Amino acid sequence: MFKIEGDKAVIQKGFMVECESWENDGDFYNTKTKTYLTLKDAQAVVSVVRSYEGLHGNDYNGRDAGDRSPEYDKEALSHFLFHVCDVSQEEGDTMIAAWEKKQADEEELTDDDEGMVAELDSWVADSVYDLVGGSEYYTCRVIDHIAIMEIPETVTIRVISNQYSARRD
């Protein structure tokens, strides 16, 4: 929700989620932000991201997360899928039902159920990665701090210089 338009930058009204995280060995801090239109969207994202706490693959405590699944708040997960990700009602309901079966661990999951849980994990992993990051070696970085801040109105600021770039040709 931040975009540069010529000599002006516009920050849209909404809710900004800020997440400070670090790699599993604690040597690289990173702060990322993402903005959402509604408070409920931001709260759902934070709830889903926080579900990943402790699931760091070979995490900083030396434990392997293995095949553990996050323990989502169902209401936040539903809002996240339907309003933040724009997943269809039918697909979202199917993913959530499969996830609930997996959490209950009372019956054997079908291949379709496994596929739906994998699809759910994919939607969530993309959002977790946007705020927290991750790699092929671990599910997500360690979350040190996560907060929601309100941007009460759209703000336009002047761009002093837009000529700098990371490229060094």
Side-chain angles (χ1 to χ4, degrees):
M1 293 229 221
F2 175 86
K3 56 184 164 182
I4 296 177
E5 300 169 345
D7 66 343
K8 303 220 182 304
V10 178
I11 303 169
Q12 297 293 326
K13 176 182 178 176
F15 296 86
M16 181 182 295
V17 175
E18 177 185 78
C19 183
E20 184 176 14
S21 63
W22 46 275
E23 288 181 350
N24 297 0
D25 58 5
D27 70 347
F28 179 65
Y29 269 79
N30 193 5
T31 301
K32 291 186 178 185
T33 61
K34 197 160 182 191
T35 307
Y36 300 91
L37 290 175
T38 71
L39 177 58
K40 191 154 181 154
D41 290 353
Q43 289 170 326
V45 168
V46 167
S47 176
V48 168
V49 167
R50 291 199 67 115
S51 299
Y52 271 76
E53 286 184 308
L55 296 179
H56 309 291
N58 292 321
D59 71 14
Y60 56 95
N61 290 320
R63 296 183 307 262
D64 187 356
D67 193 32
R68 289 186 291 154
S69 285
E71 294 183 16
Y72 304 115
D73 172 80
K74 184 178 176 182
E75 183 180 334
L77 179 62
S78 295
H79 186 88
F80 170 80
L81 288 173
F82 301 132
H83 299 281
V84 177
C85 298
D86 276 338
V87 171
S88 73
Q89 187 75 39
E90 182 180 354
E91 183 181 17
D93 287 344
T94 305
M95 285 190 279
I96 291 170
W99 168 75
E100 286 179 314
K101 275 174 78 174
K102 183 173 182 174
Q103 291 300 104
D105 201 26
E106 293 173 1
E107 57 186 282
E108 191 73 25
L109 292 181
T110 66
D111 289 344
D112 287 344
D113 290 336
E114 290 287 355
M116 285 292 103
V117 170
E119 183 72 18
L120 172 63
D121 289 344
S122 178
W123 278 106
V124 172
D126 288 346
S127 287
V128 169
Y129 185 82
D130 285 348
L131 276 169
V132 183
S135 83
E136 70 244 34
Y137 304 111
Y138 50 87
T139 308
C140 74
R141 295 163 54 93
V142 178
I143 301 163
D144 190 48
H145 170 81
I146 192 164
I148 300 172
M149 296 163 280
E150 181 179 9
I151 304 167
E153 58 187 60
T154 298
V155 178
T156 302
I157 53 179
R158 186 171 67 113
V159 175
I160 302 301
S161 178
N162 196 17
Q163 66 188 14
Y164 301 104
S165 120
R167 294 182 53 176
R168 303 201 192 287
D169 294 332

